[in-house]
Amino acid sequence: MADPLTDLEAALAQMAGTPVALERPADAAHGDYATNVALRLTGTQRRPPRDIAADLATAAESLPAVERAEVAGPGFVNLFLGDGWFGGALGSILGAGDSFGAGSPAKAERVQVEMVSANPTGPMTVASARNGAYGDSVARLLTFAGHEVEREYYYNDSGAQMDRFRASVDARRRGEEPPEDGYHGEYIHRLAAQDGDPVPRMLASIEGSLERFRVHFDSFAKQSELEARLPEFLPRLDTYEKDGALWARSSAYGDDDDWVLVRSAEQGGLPTYRAADVAYLADKLDRGFDRAIYVLGADHHGTRKWYAAVARMLGYDPERVEVLLYQLVHLTKGGQATKMAKRRGDVVFLDEFMDEIGVDAARWYLVSRGHDQTIEIDIDLAAESSRANPVYYVQYSYARIAGILRNAEVAVAGSGPVGELAREERDLVKRLAEFPAVAAEAAVRRAPHAIPTYAIRLADDFHRFYHEHKVLGSESESFRLGLVTATQAVVERCLGLIGVEAPERM
RNA sequence: GCGCCCGUAGCUCAGUGGACAGAGCAGCGGACUUCUAAUCCGCGGGUCGCAGGUUCGAAUCCUGCCGGGCGCACCA
């Protein structure tokens, strides 16, 4: 079932003979919606855009939803909609219920989102948390878009870094300093106080932090197990030997270089992490995922071509492999940059961050700017400035509506409006009607930050409406109850898409 | 040197071809016997890094330059 805005676009498209995109003009004098379709058609129709626009405007006025249509500027068609359209739009939003804005793709994909995948040599850091906040929100968007999504965490349980990590814990157990190239953080002491392999314990701690951060993993993959399966996949690869090592001829498949899969005897003769990459990629796609999404920090951007090359080499469509990059988190302390070096231990851990500003503000903060934008966090200012986090502004709109609904005596009917609609009511309905397009585009572009941006605008329209109009006891009570009910549901959906809770009271 | 990303208000950032470029924070000034003032309203604030190009139209696309971040292993 289509949403109200799409329905209107479809009706206009029929008249124009081409797809029509409606947008909301910045200036209210330009109508409820406008389209530039006449400007786009001027090339193919070889007619002045204003002539085309005039024809479309005349045709549009025959639609029951359209009160009047005007040609403006170089050839825009501005549409002024009647109250009937707003009532109908709200009705269909309420009718759609939980599925309002949800996608129903022609072919639903099975998607794996692999994210975080930090080696368990220390607690979750804020830097890695951006990976989780971003990847998990993309996963939620894809689920809402109608796909079947699983989240996986991949970690190295046996490499050189892990050896150094274990050696560092062992050193502490003997009462010695960890090796120079080992791990020196305070948490090493705590691990040393307990017996056994510290790796599973560290991994459990990471998982716990991520669960608290509302990032849940369906599965975990170990590098050692995948490495062991390398012989299965080697015959499918294009390889050669050079300097005693086994190389993948990835440069012939779109990468810039060839890479070593198995080290030479002098270098130990063990497989590299790239060998595990090969096995892992084949494993993912063989497990039946239509699409394998890797969520990686910008420092790994060089591996983008590598994954595509591996897919080609293995005989898979590289379109099935997608690498999502996000820029890094830079921490500063009172303006002074600190390097995020886990080994030195001078980092901000996710748990501290959540203690400091709360899970909601933390998730909002890490996902609300574009993933191509580097995030600067001044850890001295983070707690203070978090009070101004717009997440509370959005949550407050939800809580305010919850208050209205608690006080409402009648069940929400959501009938048509009584009398003429107010500007704030129309604006709010239009904002709600935008949501399906916002959610769909955010999913396609893997850009969850569009959701907080939209949610702020929605809350803005609601707060303005709330300030100007009484819901309970008004002549339009039934209509307005429907309006705020729909608003509350969309706010909740937006928050849910980025892993933030919707509080009944604040 | 090569590659990826970024440069928009004092600060943090939206805005991937449309109308006079937006929001939050910060600053100043207003609004609570009311369904929650964590709210609302107003004011000030801009060479969209710079220069060319494409287009009826460019913050947005292309080229070059200048700044900044991150990479270029038989580490992961």
Side-chain angles (χ1 to χ4, degrees):
Chain A
M1 169 183 138
D3 62 90
L5 199 49
T6 306
D7 288 341
L8 185 57
E9 285 173 337
L12 291 164
Q14 191 128 28
M15 296 169 166
T18 187
V20 170
L22 292 176
E23 59 186 52
R24 285 186 62 186
D27 186 342
H30 294 146
D32 294 305
Y33 293 102
T35 178
N36 62 1
V37 68
L39 288 157
R40 295 184 179 286
L41 287 174
T42 185
T44 52
Q45 292 200 0
R46 304 199 152 278
R47 296 167 62 206
R50 284 190 63 101
D51 288 1
I52 302 171
D55 288 351
L56 183 58
T58 305
E61 283 185 340
S62 70
L63 291 172
V66 178
E67 206 163 77
R68 67 177 209 278
E70 293 176 349
V71 179
F76 294 102
V77 178
N78 294 338
L79 302 174
F80 297 78
L81 304 184
D83 282 355
W85 181 82
F86 289 90
L90 179 60
S92 85
I93 291 169
L94 287 167
D98 280 349
S99 69
F100 176 63
S104 47
K107 54 168 179 48
E109 292 184 344
R110 270 198 73 201
V111 181
Q112 185 200 66
V113 178
E114 182 224 316
M115 55 189 176
V116 186
S117 296
N119 283 342
T121 55
M124 270 299 289
T125 64
V126 170
S128 295
R130 183 178 194 183
N131 189 312
Y134 175 53
D136 181 61
S137 297
V138 168
R140 288 168 188 246
L141 279 168
L142 291 175
T143 301
F144 190 54
H147 301 293
E148 193 185 318
V149 183
E150 288 182 29
R151 295 159 177 79
E152 186 156 282
Y153 188 116
Y154 170 66
Y155 67 102
N156 184 358
D157 53 330
S158 64
Q161 293 295 336
M162 301 313 296
D163 291 343
R164 279 195 269 278
F165 170 65
R166 291 187 172 104
S168 301
V169 174
D170 284 339
R172 286 287 182 217
R173 282 172 178 157
R174 294 191 303 267
E176 297 165 16
E177 281 296 309
E180 182 64 25
D181 60 355
Y183 294 81
H184 298 262
E186 197 272 319
Y187 62 91
I188 297 291
H189 287 95
R190 290 199 303 275
L191 290 166
Q194 296 167 293
D195 290 332
D197 186 355
V199 171
R201 195 164 290 129
M202 201 67 258
L203 189 67
S205 146
I206 289 170
E207 192 179 3
S209 300
L210 286 165
E211 287 287 344
R212 183 181 168 202
F213 197 50
R214 305 185 190 125
V215 178
H216 175 75
F217 285 91
D218 301 295
S219 51
F220 289 77
K222 284 186 199 170
Q223 183 170 323
S224 63
E225 290 174 4
L226 289 155
E227 251 169 28
R229 293 177 55 199
L230 187 59
E232 274 178 57
F233 302 107
L234 271 183
R236 292 165 63 182
L237 295 176
D238 188 350
T239 60
Y240 61 92
E241 284 193 31
K242 191 182 85 180
D243 304 332
L246 184 71
W247 294 69
R249 204 186 308 277
S250 36
S251 64
Y253 298 83
D255 201 352
D256 296 328
D257 296 294
D258 293 342
W259 301 98
V260 169
L261 293 175
V262 182
R263 281 177 266 254
S264 60
E266 305 90 80
Q267 298 290 333
L270 293 172
T272 63
Y273 78 95
R274 286 181 190 269
D277 277 348
V278 170
Y280 190 24
L281 181 54
D283 173 68
K284 285 175 190 235
L285 297 180
D286 287 351
R287 268 193 270 164
F289 292 109
D290 299 310
R291 183 179 296 275
I293 294 181
Y294 292 76
V295 182
L296 300 174
D299 52 340
H300 289 79
H301 78 261
T303 58
R304 207 172 211 169
K305 287 180 176 174
W306 161 249
Y307 286 118
V310 171
R312 283 194 197 93
M313 221 185 298
L314 288 165
Y316 299 108
D317 179 358
E319 294 289 306
R320 293 172 62 190
V321 179
E322 200 178 309
V323 175
L324 303 186
L325 295 172
Y326 61 93
Q327 297 298 312
L328 303 181
V329 177
H330 286 164
L331 290 174
T332 57
K333 192 173 166 63
Q336 193 77 22
T338 65
K339 268 287 180 203
M340 292 290 290
K342 203 196 286 188
R343 251 178 289 171
R344 284 210 309 271
D346 55 347
V347 294
V348 176
F349 294 126
L350 175 58
D351 282 314
E352 298 166 358
F353 194 57
M354 290 188 288
D355 289 344
E356 202 70 38
I357 73 172
V359 179
D360 288 337
R363 277 204 69 140
W364 180 283
Y365 189 81
L366 288 175
V367 85
S368 63
R369 53 256 290 131
H371 50 272
D372 272 341
Q373 197 74 233
T374 303
I375 293 183
E376 307 276 351
I377 301 179
D378 189 316
I379 53 182
D380 287 344
L381 295 178
E384 191 184 338
S385 58
S386 79
R387 280 193 288 276
N389 193 314
V391 73
Y392 303 118
Y393 180 77
V394 175
Q395 287 182 318
Y396 188 49
S397 67
Y398 183 92
R400 272 185 148 177
I401 295 169
I404 295 171
L405 297 179
R406 270 194 302 275
N407 292 328
E409 287 170 6
V410 296
V412 173
S415 71
V418 175
E420 201 176 330
L421 282 178
R423 190 162 111 87
E424 292 79 12
E425 292 172 306
R426 298 162 65 101
D427 285 347
L428 192 46
V429 171
K430 280 187 281 187
R431 189 68 70 193
L432 292 170
E434 279 173 35
F435 177 65
V438 169
E441 193 182 356
V444 167
R445 287 171 55 181
R446 320 300 196 225
H449 73 280
I451 300 298
T453 300
Y454 168 79
I456 289 172
R457 292 201 195 106
L458 176 58
D460 197 36
D461 283 323
F462 167 73
H463 286 308
R464 197 171 295 121
F465 161 80
Y466 181 94
H467 190 262
E468 293 298 323
H469 306 285
K470 194 101 166 113
V471 174
L472 301 178
S474 75
E475 288 195 345
S476 253
E477 178 175 302
S478 175
F479 173 79
R480 287 179 179 168
L481 275 172
L483 181 57
V484 299
T485 300
T487 301
Q488 191 189 37
V490 175
V491 169
E492 182 177 25
R493 173 64 71 188
C494 286
L495 293 174
L497 284 171
I498 56 169
V500 173
E501 288 184 340
E504 295 292 317
R505 297 172 197 273
M506 284 178 76

